Amino acid sequence: MKNLRLKALLRAGCFSLALIGTAMNSAHAGGLERGGYDIDLLFDPAPFASDMGATYVMPQRDLKNATDTSGGGLTGKSTARNTEGYWVPYIGFKASLGHDVDCLVDYSQPWGASSNPGIWNGSYSNIQTEIKSNNYAGTCSYKMDAGKGQLRFIGGVFYQEVYGFKESYADPAFGTTIGRVDLTSSGWGWRAGIAYEIPDIALRASLVYNSQVKLDNISGTLNIGGSVTDIYAPTESMPDSLELKLQSGIAPGWLAFGSVKWVNWSVLQSVPICSQATKALGCTTISPYPIRLTSLDLMYRDGWTVTGGIGHQFNEQWSGAAQISWDRGTSHGYGDQTDTWTLGGGVAYTPRPNIELRLAGAIGVLTSGHSGTLADENGYVAGQEVSYDFGNDLVTAISGGLKIKF
């Protein structure tokens, strides 16, 4: 009976967090977060394991009562759908290197943004924005006996590419001429953490820190009506994060889990974009034209995410899980990223002991608010092109995955 109980708990524990985590994180995350960082595969007890999956997110953020405040005199559409659906892929491979060492290599897309309101009263602010990322990571852990369980020390590095474009009306002085900014950059980061596990009761507590990724090579082009200028931005950083995860068996085949995550989104405020021709003069948010040509205004505050859920193994082949999550919005007066509440659930089918198929979904509410002007610490004021309102909107996501162990 004890062995059956242990098997049920471990199977529920291995499956539940991975099953709906990506769908939930992608559906409610603030800032530029999409898949975020995920190293749960590192804890899989199998000697070798591979995991691949994808999530499709469908946010439906609608802007209304949009008023042009740029001086350009736009009096067209006062409403717009600001968001687009997007995919979040993941693939990882884990191997045990001896009795005490496990290593994971994975590919993910932790950051991104997809906004396409088109031509509207806020076209001097944004017509279309697309930001993407690639993350290549290697993470290892060393575990040792400690009391009734095992203590695990975690460390790793990752290389990150961040790139994208933004289109908007260039400036009221140019009329309705569209300007396009294309930028690309890359950098390295590292992670460190600690975990404690008691397999007999499917207990695991982990605390993992992911460092900032310093982007000191941001460069690209600015195209206004066919006139192309080489541009750059000063060094920026993608945010660091700290996440605490907890799980424990609570009855045969039942597991409770939760997490608290902090992401330092306040490192991204207004990103000035300047001409390469004037690089010797520096580049700040208050640099005059033609040194500062434009900017990417984000004006984020730190993000907090709290989750809790429960998983259950129904039989040898089927498991299920449900989770609720709250994400504190990173916008605070400028932008439309307010608090989000999300409910997710899913099932896992194990036709053979070494194969697991997963299907999960999430539905959430993007809470209402208003976007206007907001000043940074240097006195730069974002949001001077448009003001708008937004109500409570829907976000949904669907996720599928396949895990193979051997």
Side-chain angles (χ1 to χ4, degrees):
M1 178 64 69
K2 182 178 179 180
N3 289 337
L4 291 175
R5 179 177 180 270
L6 173 60
K7 183 177 181 181
L9 284 170
L10 289 177
R11 183 168 296 176
C14 292
F15 128 80
S16 59
L17 298 179
L19 173 65
I20 56 179
T22 301
M24 293 288 286
N25 291 338
S26 302
H28 66 61
L32 299 176
E33 187 164 347
R34 286 198 166 168
Y37 299 120
D38 182 3
I39 62 167
D40 284 346
L41 185 61
L42 184 69
F43 297 97
D44 194 289
F48 300 93
S50 63
D51 195 2
M52 59 196 73
T55 300
Y56 187 67
V57 184
M58 296 158 281
Q60 300 177 28
R61 175 61 90 190
D62 292 324
L63 311 181
K64 57 186 180 181
N65 304 324
T67 302
D68 174 39
T69 56
S70 68
L74 299 179
T75 57
K77 290 176 58 180
S78 62
T79 62
R81 170 62 60 86
N82 194 40
T83 52
E84 291 186 308
Y86 56 86
W87 286 97
V88 182
Y90 175 84
I91 184 168
F93 299 92
K94 176 259 181 183
S96 296
L97 308 179
H99 180 67
D100 300 322
V101 177
D102 298 294
C103 286
L104 166 69
V105 293
D106 67 280
Y107 165 79
S108 63
Q109 295 180 1
W111 320 124
S114 187
S115 171
N116 189 12
I119 304 300
W120 62 307
N121 284 347
S123 291
Y124 282 107
S125 172
N126 179 40
I127 294 175
Q128 183 178 8
T129 299
E130 192 79 35
I131 298 174
K132 296 184 178 181
S133 65
N134 296 306
N135 192 77
Y136 310 91
T139 306
C140 290
S141 68
Y142 172 77
K143 56 189 176 185
M144 56 186 293
D145 292 336
K148 295 182 179 180
Q150 294 179 320
L151 187 64
R152 187 188 296 251
F153 298 95
I154 302 166
V157 296
F158 43 90
Y159 175 72
Q160 208 163 98
E161 300 169 335
V162 183
Y163 57 97
F165 72 88
K166 179 178 180 178
E167 292 184 349
S168 64
Y169 286 161
D171 189 272
F174 293 93
T176 55
T177 300
I178 293 178
R180 177 180 169 118
V181 171
D182 286 87
L183 290 172
T184 184
S185 60
S186 60
W188 289 87
W190 56 271
R191 65 170 50 102
I194 191 169
Y196 184 70
E197 301 161 278
I198 304 179
D200 285 349
I201 57 173
L203 183 145
R204 183 199 307 152
S206 64
L207 182 67
V208 178
Y209 172 79
N210 296 283
S211 77
Q212 293 186 17
V213 177
K214 185 178 180 181
L215 306 176
D216 56 6
N217 57 350
I218 307 173
S219 61
T221 59
L222 170 63
N223 187 327
I224 301 179
S227 177
V228 179
T229 302
D230 291 329
I231 57 174
Y232 79 102
T235 298
E236 297 286 343
S237 295
M238 300 308 295
D240 49 336
S241 65
L242 182 66
E243 185 168 19
L244 172 67
K245 289 187 175 183
L246 301 170
Q247 70 171 57
S248 179
I250 54 176
W254 289 90
L255 178 125
F257 57 90
S259 65
V260 178
K261 180 170 66 174
W262 165 80
V263 184
N264 188 19
W265 283 114
S266 60
V267 299
L268 289 174
Q269 296 297 301
S270 178
V271 181
I273 297 172
C274 299
S275 170
Q276 288 277 9
T278 61
K279 195 168 186 178
L281 301 177
C283 182
T284 70
T285 55
I286 57 176
S287 295
Y289 181 86
I291 297 175
R292 187 184 73 87
L293 301 177
T294 185
S295 61
L296 176 62
D297 296 334
L298 299 172
M299 311 298 282
Y300 292 144
R301 65 177 178 176
D302 287 355
W304 285 91
T305 306
V306 181
T307 65
I310 192 166
H312 179 56
Q313 185 188 35
F314 301 104
N315 53 45
E316 289 296 311
Q317 293 184 318
W318 289 95
S319 299
Q323 176 178 313
I324 189 170
S325 178
W326 167 77
D327 181 81
R328 187 182 82 155
T330 54
S331 298
H332 54 117
Y334 169 79
D336 62 13
Q337 293 190 3
T338 48
D339 289 12
T340 303
W341 290 89
T342 316
L343 179 66
V347 295
Y349 175 59
T350 308
R352 297 181 180 179
N354 65 324
I355 298 176
E356 180 182 271
L357 299 168
R358 305 187 303 270
L359 180 65
I363 184 169
V365 176
L366 310 171
T367 57
S368 61
H370 172 80
S371 178
T373 59
L374 185 65
D376 69 9
E377 61 183 11
N378 297 318
Y380 172 77
V381 180
Q384 297 187 79
E385 298 85 5
V386 63
S387 67
Y388 55 82
D389 302 314
F390 44 91
N392 294 321
D393 294 315
L394 183 70
V395 57
T396 57
I398 186 168
S399 177
L402 169 66
K403 179 184 284 188
I404 301 175
K405 307 177 185 183
F406 49 94

